[in-house]
């Protein structure tokens, strides 16, 4: 079995599952309870947050545990828009964003905010200048994805962050879901106010997302209830989920140090070999995450290729899992990034993690070669 | 050290072993994203669908009437905001009670800042808000009423079906926070006039981080979050598969054991009450035990410093609470007891004892004796 859909979700590390089970068993109490069991659970929760803060070198940030990156992204876009609406009505983001940012920005647009969606240049990338140039004196929020989940494009979020410091009105959010523990960024020094993270993309568990919030950057809470997490996010804290998240982030960071160069070589080899298959075109730009490669086989049905590969026990995806309901629709992101319809509707995403090997890459290349030529024959006969 | 006795199940409950076992394979081997089109995705999609079927049949709901959320708080917020905002042009008067959980109460407080007019009904001395009180508060502008099923501090069961019946005739939406009632009460939601009902897994020995909102077919939903197409776009985000599977396992277990649990908790409560009655301590039982959730018992000890009592019980190894966990961090008097009585000697000294799996007759006896001993010393 070869699993090349690591950007959709990952297999949790065994240590993560142990952390979860141990915390769920030993520290089951409600962290808001006053008795010692509650206090213990609260300590475990706080320790996990401290570990995460240390790993990301965060001193003046709140670490908020949320249900996932979708909630984190919504909390930032809606919360910052509502909090700072009397300062201005303009938001800058990109067409490469995940649906949880893009759709929320569209929603804010329908509520009267003005939203600029920056598109990539011909080389597929978006420069810091291009984002900064869209900022006006009405801009209250800039939200940029660090690594595009479909194309793997790396956006210069550190540079954008440093330049946004010249615009004190504009808060800066980074969707770091596909970049965390893969392509580290200096959050605090780069002036990033809000960061969204999703441990289940890093061999952690589903249902536990993280939002890093600079203490001086405010958000209108999206939910009302108990006073948990400084009233930023009510609801009983998921102690075990948070302990598991801290563990997943730590192991992924260790693996990054050990394997990221290997992954880079795998991605480059995969890209150069797939490019040799007649009919295959590489969609990801040169400056991409080593963990993601997006290709198209124009004229062929992407889902047919996915299913043929699945028969060979190889699992990849067509586009973001969150938008897979209408599997025949072209990728919204590729279309808006400027790819023609034929290419946007035949895109395949291959996404890797530390667990994948060169042997697997070679098998995927061979299988792709066979599947594409077989399908071509069927088409031509 | 002697074994600690945990009687704070209304705050949260440990994950049942069978529930944990049901979750395990969805963390280790079946980890796919349910939205992925390959077999890993189809496998977990089926797990989520099956879990939803289990939940649906347990509470008498249709599959399409259920939305998984991150917990009870989100479910309550989603219901209250959906109903209030979608009916905004029909009226801006809302009714709830002064004894709601903060997930409901603070959602209504927020709506007041958005131009809504909210009536907070006070309960009677037993902690119950009558259907008549709701009926009298209705105006031509009323669009939503929210009354909890069973109170999280006193356990008092509210006449929600009678209330919902009245509202149904007038086209007013009705939400109930049923978080505390799921473990012992029976639901037949589709057939009932209830429009929304909120539930949470971790109060019934399921995992934290997962809740459920029942929304009657046709009742409005305004998503709080935007993004992927999960839950028919009503609640985007990768489904928390292991927790969903765990929630369903916990619910299935509740369905099978409901009657046994009810009678066991009632017996534990009865035993403790008898011991209090036989002791010389001065106490007041808050609420009416004939109309209470069996797992919650709330007693005030006039003249006792509740902090001191809790601290002493802590040291003896008994985990109980004053007020709900969400308000416990702040040591304000319980808003529920305050709404029931003006007598601060009662409202400031309430102790909540809540039973769950694992509590034995010996635990109840030991807990009662511990409380009696400490109260005698402090009174």
């Amino acid at each position: 079995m070869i699993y090349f859909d690591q950007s959709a979700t990952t297999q949790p590390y065994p240590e993560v599952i142990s952390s979860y089970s141990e915390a769920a068993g030993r520290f089951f109490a409600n962290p808001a309870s006053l008795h010692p069991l509650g206090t213990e659970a609260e300590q475990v929760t706080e320790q996990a947050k401290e570990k995460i803060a240390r790993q990301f070198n965060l001193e003046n940030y709140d670490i908020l545990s949320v249900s996932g990156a979708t909630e984190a992204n919504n909390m930032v876009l809606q919360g910052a828009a509502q909090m700072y609406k009397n300062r201005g009505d303009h938001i800058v983001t990109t067409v490469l964003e995940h649906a949880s940012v893009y759709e929320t920005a569209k929603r804010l647009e329908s509520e009267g905010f003005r939203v600029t969606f920056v598109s990539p240049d011909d080389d597929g990338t978006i420069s810091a200048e291009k984002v900064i140039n869209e900022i006006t004196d009405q801009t209250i929020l800039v939200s940029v994805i660090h690594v595009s989940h479909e194309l793997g494009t790396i956006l210069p979020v550190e540079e954008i962050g440093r330049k946004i410091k010249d615009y004190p009105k504009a808060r800066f959010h980074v969707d770091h879901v596909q970049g965390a523990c893969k392509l580290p960024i200096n959050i605090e020094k780069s002036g990033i106010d809000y960061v969204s993270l999703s441990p289940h993309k890093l061999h952690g568990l589903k249902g536990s997302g993280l939002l890093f919030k600079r203490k001086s950057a405010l958000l209108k809470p999206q939910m009302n209830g108990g006073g948990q997490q400084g009233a930023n996010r009510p609801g009983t804290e998921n102690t075990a989920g948070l302990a598991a998240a801290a563990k997943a982030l730590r192991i992924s960071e260790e693996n990054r140090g050990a394997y990221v160069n290997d992954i880079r070589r795998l991605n480059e080899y995969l890209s150069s070999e797939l490019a040799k298959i007649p009919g295959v075109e590489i969609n990801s730009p040169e400056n991409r995450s080593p963990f993601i490669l997006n290709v198209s086989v124009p004229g062929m049905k992407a889902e047919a290729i996915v299913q043929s590969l699945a028969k060979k026990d190889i699992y990849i995806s067509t586009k973001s899992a969150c938008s897979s309901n209408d599997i025949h629709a072209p990728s919204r992101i590729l279309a808006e990034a400027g790819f023609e319809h034929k290419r946007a509707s035949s895109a395949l995403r291959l996404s890797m993690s530390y667990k994948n090997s060169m042997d697997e890459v070679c098998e995927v290349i061979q299988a792709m070669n066979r599947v594409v030529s077989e399908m071509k024959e069927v088409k031509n006969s | 050290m002697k074994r600690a006795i945990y009687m704070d199940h209304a705050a949260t409950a440990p994950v049942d072993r069978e529930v944990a076992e049901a979750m395990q394979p969805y963390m280790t081997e079946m980890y796919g994203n349910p939205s992925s089109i390959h077999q890993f995705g189809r496998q977990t999609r089926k797990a989520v669908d099956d879990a939803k079927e289990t939940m649906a049949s347990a509470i008498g709901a249709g599959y399409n009437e259920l939305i998984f959320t991150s917990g009870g708080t989100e479910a309550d917020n989603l219901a209250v905001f959906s109903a209030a905002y979608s009916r905004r042009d029909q009226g801006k008067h809302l009714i709830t009670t002064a004894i709601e959980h903060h997930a409901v109460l603070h959602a209504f407080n927020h709506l007041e800042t958005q131009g809504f007019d909210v009536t907070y009904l006070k309960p009677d001395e037993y902690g119950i808000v009558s259907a008549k009180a709701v009926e009298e508060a209705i105006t031509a502008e009323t669009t939503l009423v929210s009354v909890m099923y069973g109170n999280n501090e006193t356990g008092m069961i509210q006449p929600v079906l009678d209330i919902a019946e009245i509202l149904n005739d007038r086209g007013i939406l009705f939400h109930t926070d049923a978080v505390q009632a799921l473990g012992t009460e029976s639901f037949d939601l589709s057939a009932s006039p209830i429009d929304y009902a909120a539930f949470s897994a971790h109060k019934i020995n399921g995992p934290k981080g997962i809740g459920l909102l029942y929304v009657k077919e046709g009742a409005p939903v305004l998503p709080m979050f935007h993004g992927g197409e999960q839950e028919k776009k009503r609640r985007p985000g990768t489904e928390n598969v292991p927790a969903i599977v765990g929630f369903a396992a916990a619910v299935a277990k509740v369905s099978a054991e409901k009657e046994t649990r009810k009678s066991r908790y009632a017996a534990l409560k009865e035993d403790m009450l008898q011991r209090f009655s036989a002791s010389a301590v001065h106490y007041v039982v808050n609420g009416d035990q004939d109309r209470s959730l069996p797992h919650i018992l709330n007693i005030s000890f006039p003249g006792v410093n509740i902090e001191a009592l809790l601290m002493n019980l802590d040291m003896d190894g008994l985990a109980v609470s004053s007020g709900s966990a969400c308000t416990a961090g702040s040591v304000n008097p319980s808003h529920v007891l305050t709404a029931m009585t003006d007598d601060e000697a009662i409202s400031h000294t309430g102790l909540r004892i809540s039973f769950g799996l694992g509590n034995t007759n010996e635990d109840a006896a030991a807990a009662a004796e511990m409380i009696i001993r400490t109260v005698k010393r402090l009174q």
Side-chain angles (χ1 to χ4, degrees):
Chain A
M1 188 269 288
I2 299 178
Y3 185 73
F4 268 33
D5 196 12
Q6 310 272 12
S7 288
T9 194
T10 54
Q11 182 176 31
Y13 296 123
E15 297 91 329
V16 164
I17 301 170
S18 315
S19 280
Y20 179 85
S21 304
E22 200 207 331
R26 278 181 62 196
F27 309 110
F28 70 86
N30 191 320
S33 289
L34 280 180
H35 46 66
L37 294 176
T39 312
E40 242 175 47
E42 190 193 10
Q43 278 165 359
V44 172
T45 306
E46 289 311 312
Q47 278 162 11
K49 290 186 177 185
E50 280 162 25
K51 279 184 201 159
I52 293 167
R54 265 202 304 280
Q55 180 174 333
F56 289 86
N57 291 314
L58 302 174
E59 282 182 15
N60 299 302
Y61 285 74
D62 292 320
I63 310 296
L64 304 176
S65 65
V66 300
S67 64
T70 288
E71 183 182 348
N73 286 339
N74 272 267
M75 279 172 74
V76 172
L77 269 88
Q78 300 190 58
Q82 289 157 9
M83 178 55 76
Y84 295 115
K85 64 181 176 204
N86 44 12
R87 291 189 187 177
D89 65 351
H90 183 231
I91 294 165
V92 178
T93 185
T94 80
V95 301
L96 298 179
E97 302 301 313
H98 184 265
S100 52
V101 167
Y102 185 85
E103 295 295 332
T104 309
K106 285 278 178 197
R107 167 57 55 123
L108 290 170
E109 215 172 21
S110 76
E111 288 170 9
F113 288 91
R114 293 177 300 124
V115 184
T116 303
F117 293 93
V118 180
S119 300
D121 288 324
D122 289 343
D123 66 355
T125 62
I126 295 176
S127 68
E129 287 75 27
K130 202 164 178 189
V131 172
I132 296 293
N133 286 342
E134 297 296 339
I135 299 178
T136 71
D137 62 350
Q138 287 298 304
T139 307
I140 51 173
L141 180 69
V142 177
S143 180
V144 176
I145 195 166
H146 176 211
V147 172
S148 159
H149 57 298
E150 286 201 9
L151 285 160
T153 318
I154 301 172
L155 276 72
V157 290
E158 288 181 306
E159 193 186 344
I160 295 170
R162 285 194 299 273
K163 291 184 167 151
I164 286 183
K165 286 180 182 168
D166 297 338
Y167 305 86
K169 240 193 198 179
R171 296 286 177 205
F172 185 36
H173 168 236
V174 171
D175 175 348
H176 196 32
V177 169
Q178 300 291 347
C181 305
K182 292 176 178 170
L183 300 166
I185 52 173
N186 195 327
I187 295 167
E188 189 148 14
K189 283 223 175 82
S190 307
I192 301 169
D193 296 304
Y194 317 101
V195 175
S196 311
L197 239 77
S198 175
H200 84 89
K201 314 281 189 187
L202 296 161
H203 305 283
L205 298 176
K206 296 175 185 68
S208 59
L210 291 166
L211 173 59
F212 304 158
K213 184 185 83 62
R214 188 188 290 277
K215 287 196 161 78
S216 59
L218 306 178
L219 291 175
K220 268 257 159 43
Q222 295 307 299
M223 287 195 247
N224 300 268
Q228 294 96 339
Q229 308 205 57
N232 285 301
R233 206 288 192 175
T236 301
E237 277 206 82
N238 186 353
T239 307
L242 193 56
K247 179 73 81 173
L249 294 177
R250 187 180 63 76
I251 301 176
S252 288
E253 180 58 26
E254 286 166 9
N255 283 338
R256 181 188 68 78
Y259 300 116
V260 72
N261 288 326
D262 296 344
I263 305 282
R264 206 177 295 278
R265 272 193 292 278
L266 299 188
N267 191 307
E268 277 161 20
Y269 186 69
L270 184 63
S271 159
S272 63
E273 291 301 307
L274 290 183
K276 290 177 190 163
I277 301 173
V280 173
E281 294 177 42
I282 307 294
N283 298 327
S284 298
E286 281 294 308
N287 183 26
R288 64 172 175 270
S289 161
F291 295 85
I292 296 175
L293 184 70
N294 193 303
V295 305
S296 280
V297 196
M300 286 195 192
K301 283 206 171 75
E303 61 277 14
I305 297 178
V306 168
Q307 297 308 349
S308 300
L309 289 173
K311 280 187 197 134
K312 299 180 193 295
D313 219 11
I314 295 171
Y315 303 96
I316 66 166
S317 68
T318 53
K319 50 190 172 183
S320 159
C322 287
S323 55
S324 294
N325 268 16
D326 183 1
I327 56 171
H328 301 293
S331 153
R332 189 270 304 162
I333 290 170
L334 266 70
E336 292 195 11
F339 291 95
E340 49 157 6
H341 182 82
K342 250 183 156 178
R343 207 157 149 181
S345 56
S346 63
L348 302 167
R349 178 181 69 180
L350 300 96
S351 50
M352 296 179 285
S353 107
Y354 310 106
K355 296 203 161 184
N356 296 113
S357 66
M358 192 51 133
D359 287 350
E360 290 180 326
V361 166
C362 292
E363 257 190 75
V364 169
I365 293 165
Q366 278 176 16
M368 273 288 282
N369 215 330
R370 218 169 304 139
V371 166
V372 170
S373 57
E374 277 166 15
M375 285 175 63
K376 225 180 264 166
E377 274 169 35
V378 173
K379 229 180 139 191
N380 293 340
S381 62
Chain B
M1 202 183 93
K2 61 180 181 297
R3 191 177 69 91
I5 300 174
Y6 185 77
M7 287 192 175
D8 198 13
H9 292 85
T12 192
V15 176
D16 183 87
R17 185 176 300 278
E18 286 171 36
V19 169
E21 279 165 12
M23 291 170 68
Q24 194 75 8
Y26 292 93
M27 296 197 267
T28 50
E29 298 307 321
M30 294 183 274
Y31 54 83
N33 185 322
S35 298
S36 291
I37 57 176
H38 47 63
Q39 70 168 54
F40 286 85
R42 289 199 306 273
Q43 206 170 42
T44 48
R45 166 63 53 212
K46 185 173 182 321
V48 170
D49 286 350
D50 289 351
K52 210 174 243 192
E53 293 289 2
T54 303
M55 310 287 296
S57 73
I59 57 174
Y63 173 93
N64 289 322
E65 294 179 313
L66 303 182
I67 302 172
F68 285 115
T69 64
S70 66
T73 293
E74 185 184 334
D76 278 327
N77 274 252
L78 183 55
V80 170
F81 293 147
S82 289
Y85 287 127
S86 63
R87 292 278 171 93
R88 185 172 213 159
D89 50 353
Q90 292 170 41
K92 286 191 164 187
H93 179 241
L94 315 169
I95 300 170
T96 186
T97 79
I99 58 168
E100 296 299 308
H101 185 274
H102 282 162
V104 169
L105 209 51
H106 289 173
F108 277 98
N109 292 162
H110 176 75
L111 287 169
E112 281 186 286
T113 71
Q114 304 299 305
F116 287 89
D117 178 21
V118 181
T119 301
Y120 298 94
L121 295 171
K122 280 205 161 194
D124 62 15
E125 58 187 305
Y126 297 108
I128 290 177
V129 173
S130 70
K132 191 161 168 281
V134 172
E135 189 167 19
E136 283 168 5
I138 295 171
T139 72
E141 291 278 297
T142 309
T143 58
L144 165 69
V145 174
S146 181
V147 178
M148 72 200 313
Y149 201 102
N151 184 266
N152 53 310
E153 292 191 26
T154 63
M156 297 311 293
I157 297 170
Q158 308 299 319
V160 289
L161 287 174
D162 296 343
I163 294 170
E165 205 67 65
I166 292 168
L167 302 171
N168 202 31
D169 294 341
R170 308 179 192 213
I172 298 169
L173 292 167
F174 179 66
H175 166 60
T176 187
D177 171 353
V179 167
Q180 292 294 347
L182 184 57
T184 54
E185 304 311 299
S186 297
F187 295 89
D188 193 6
L189 289 169
S190 294
S192 81
I194 294 169
D195 296 299
Y196 306 90
F199 301 96
S200 167
H202 77 97
K203 312 282 190 189
I204 59 156
N205 307 94
K208 293 180 180 61
I210 193 76
L212 180 79
L213 179 64
Y214 163 82
V215 183
K216 187 174 293 306
E217 187 105 55
V221 177
L222 290 181
M224 295 205 295
F225 305 137
H226 312 283
E229 307 200 347
Q230 293 92 345
E231 298 282 3
K232 299 189 167 51
K233 286 193 137 185
R234 298 179 298 185
R235 208 304 187 171
T238 302
E239 291 90 343
N240 187 353
V241 181
I244 287 170
V245 169
F247 196 176
V251 160
K253 218 173 159 184
V254 162
S255 300
E257 298 173 0
K258 197 174 283 173
E259 293 312 315
T260 347
R261 288 188 192 191
K262 272 174 98 153
S263 53
R264 202 170 71 236
Y265 301 154
L268 295 177
K269 188 188 276 192
E270 186 52 35
D271 178 68
M272 289 187 80
L273 283 171
Q274 267 173 21
R275 284 169 195 274
F276 291 130
S277 155
S279 76
V281 301
H282 179 28
Y283 70 96
V284 176
V285 178
N286 295 310
D288 170 4
Q289 295 315 304
D290 291 337
R291 292 179 284 172
S292 172
L293 294 171
H295 70 296
I296 297 178
L297 173 60
N298 195 308
I299 308 188
S300 289
F301 298 97
V304 167
N305 178 327
I306 190 71
E307 308 272 317
L309 175 59
L310 281 174
M311 205 177 295
N312 277 284
L313 294 175
D314 277 350
M315 288 190 294
D316 287 346
L318 174 62
V320 289
S321 79
S322 68
S324 74
C326 298
T327 48
S330 55
V331 239
N332 299 325
S334 150
H335 70 280
V336 176
L337 298 183
T338 306
M340 285 163 63
T341 172
D342 291 331
D343 186 350
E344 291 191 357
I346 294 175
S347 66
H348 288 210
T349 63
L351 187 75
R352 181 183 70 180
I353 299 158
S354 50
F355 309 110
L357 297 183
N359 286 149
T360 61
N361 295 342
E362 292 71 38
D363 288 341
E369 295 310 326
M370 245 183 254
I371 293 169
I372 291 165
R373 203 168 52 231
T374 316
V375 169
K376 272 185 181 161
R377 211 166 59 229
L378 297 173
Q379 230 164 16

